[in-house]
Amino acid sequence: MKSIIERIERGHFWKFNGGIHPPEQKFLTKDKPIRTLDLPKQLVLPLQQHIGEMGELLVQVGDKVLKGQALTRHHKAMALPIHAPTSGTISAIKPSVIAHPSGLTGPCLFLTPDGEDKWLERTPCEDFYSLPRDVIINKIANAGIAGMGGAGFPTHFKVNIKPVINYLIINAAECEPYITADDLLIREQSSTIVEGIK
């Protein structure tokens, strides 16, 4: 058997051509509307949700929280806060299996929803064009926005560079044969997506 380097140089790494091409099954869901799921009895929130450091905890067991409330505080450039996805009570803070291919455990907050889904008071900005760049970057950081790729890279870190940008590419391509979520999201929430792009 030839070495890996020799196979790469010959452009023939494997004995077969191409890869697996499963048939697309998008017809199963492409016309089914997006709907809201009922709240579960308990939510498990990993404290480490991005490539940076875990934030400092702002809550403890027994605390009542509101939807959108920061549960951790970021204190370093590569750290992000996490927020309560609904209102309820912090029922535990302990290691739990996280949603990661490794199957490893990580520190997690356990939130028991109260069923009210009550928001923290919000103060939306009506004209973000009027805000200075550093204020916008800070808002992105405080919102805990991270990339959806494997690393979960903090977005405020990426947008705080000053390159010359000529084009903005919006990747809405669906990579899996069954996925139709991007297509439906674009059809149902196009105006919101355009606002996000702006």
Side-chain angles (χ1 to χ4, degrees), residues 26 29-36 148 170-174 179-197:
K26 294 182 184 284
T29 57
K30 73 179 180 89
D31 294 317
K32 304 242 178 189
I34 295 173
R35 63 185 179 91
T36 303
M148 295 294 289
I170 307 304
N171 179 1
E174 293 171 323
I179 292 177
T180 57
D182 292 346
D183 174 44
L184 284 167
L185 199 60
I186 290 168
R187 285 192 276 154
E188 291 188 10
Q189 302 291 333
S190 55
S191 60
T192 303
I193 291 169
V194 169
E195 283 302 307
I197 291 167

Side-chain angles (χ1 to χ4, degrees), residues 17-28:
N17 292 321
I20 297 170
H21 296 280
E24 288 194 0
Q25 302 292 323
K26 294 182 184 284
F27 70 90
L28 294 170

Side-chain angles (χ1 to χ4, degrees), residues 90-130:
I90 303 298
S91 51
I93 303 171
K94 62 183 181 180
S96 181
V97 175
I98 57 174
H100 189 273
S102 66
L104 295 174
T105 61
C108 295
L109 282 173
F110 287 69
L111 174 62
T112 303
D114 58 15
E116 296 179 23
D117 204 31
K118 185 175 179 184
W119 275 96
L120 180 73
E121 184 178 348
R122 295 180 283 177
T123 54
C125 176
E126 299 300 328
D127 180 19
F128 61 86
Y129 289 108
S130 66

Side-chain angles (χ1 to χ4, degrees), residues 9-102:
E9 286 174 349
R10 290 184 62 205
H12 194 154
F13 195 81
W14 305 108
K15 291 181 179 178
F16 58 85
N17 292 321
I20 297 170
H21 296 280
E24 288 194 0
Q25 302 292 323
K26 294 182 184 284
F27 70 90
L28 294 170
T29 57
K30 73 179 180 89
D31 294 317
K32 304 242 178 189
I34 295 173
R35 63 185 179 91
T36 303
L37 292 174
D38 293 332
L39 287 170
K41 292 181 180 176
Q42 187 173 64
L43 292 164
V44 181
L45 311 172
L47 294 173
Q48 185 68 34
Q49 295 189 12
H50 59 284
I51 198 171
E53 292 184 36
M54 183 175 75
E56 174 190 344
L57 268 175
L58 296 174
V59 294
Q60 53 192 330
V61 174
D63 284 356
K64 296 194 179 309
V65 297
L66 296 172
K67 182 175 184 173
Q69 179 179 332
L71 305 175
T72 62
R73 173 177 30 236
H74 69 289
H75 51 282
K76 296 191 177 177
M78 290 292 285
L80 288 175
I82 63 166
H83 299 80
T86 189
S87 55
T89 304
I90 303 298
S91 51
I93 303 171
K94 62 183 181 180
S96 181
V97 175
I98 57 174
H100 189 273
S102 66

Side-chain angles (χ1 to χ4, degrees), residues 154-191:
T155 299
H156 74 282
F157 202 77
K158 286 194 262 189
V159 297
N160 200 20
I161 57 175
K162 298 179 181 178
V164 176
I165 298 172
N166 296 314
Y167 301 99
L168 176 64
I169 298 172
I170 307 304
N171 179 1
E174 293 171 323
C175 57
E176 304 293 336
Y178 282 82
I179 292 177
T180 57
D182 292 346
D183 174 44
L184 284 167
L185 199 60
I186 290 168
R187 285 192 276 154
E188 291 188 10
Q189 302 291 333
S190 55
S191 60

